[in-house]
Amino acid sequence: MKKLIAGNHKMFTGVKEGLALASEIARNAADFGNAQVVLFPPFTHLCVFHEQLQGLPLETGAQNCSDMPEGAFTGEVSAGMIKSTGATHVLLGHSERRTLFGEGHELLCRKINQALDAGLQVVYCFGENLQDMEEGHRFSKIEEQLQAVFESFSQDELDHLVLAYEPVWAIGTGKTASLHEAEEAHAFARELMRNKYGTDAGNELRILYGGSVKATNARELLSSSEIGGVLVGGASLDAAEFLQIIQAAG
Ligand code: 13P
């Protein structure tokens, strides 16, 4: 299976700048090799990205979606609207949404439900923060975040879900989890899936790593069979560096 290389642009770039970034990446599509590439720009960029990148092996996704299908919810964007831009993916459960916007398990499960109903692939983020790590609650935090989802969806539904392990202490800090730390969190998540839905479901689960991924550490992370790809923040805003990360997928 190809490695998934995802770029989370967060709340950066205007439309022109974002499009220039995406076009520069797309110009090098011949070098994508073993990578499936998905860009997550702000909502405002999705339509124009899709129009300009048509026919190229570059997919798009949103960084969030509403937990409601439609209605008088000023400022919200539904999963169906995201799908209608041509996007294929949505990122849910990112630690910035959990901590800065107070998103909890119940809300996130409703959002996942909307995304699956709309036919989007979900990239669901999980991971412990520094305090969990220091107090020895790392795995219980991961278990809590994943069980809430595994218990709410069927195995068929979870086929449309990719996990992204993002230890909060590694996001935007320059500190990457060691390969061992990433592999043990991935293996733990996979085991939870196996316990719930059996060996095949656990083995087939795609789990990305995110948190200070750079051109300099991507090759080592992507060489692991436990790591199905990477979710890149800061380094995805630099086309040359993001291309090096794509090429590190082999
Ligand atoms: P950084 O790569 O900037 O640490 O961000 C990671 C992230 O939050 C991706 O979703």
Side-chain angles (χ1 to χ4, degrees), residues 8 10 91 94 96 166 170-173 210-213 231-235:
N8 176 7
K10 306 195 179 183
L91 206 58
H94 193 282
E96 287 151 18
E166 295 208 307
I171 296 178
T173 58
S212 296
V213 175
L231 177 55
V232 188

Side-chain angles (χ1 to χ4, degrees), residues 226-246:
E226 261 300 347
I227 299 180
V230 286
L231 177 55
V232 188
S236 70
L237 294 167
D238 178 319
E241 178 153 19
F242 192 61
L243 281 163
Q244 284 180 50
I245 295 172
I246 292 171

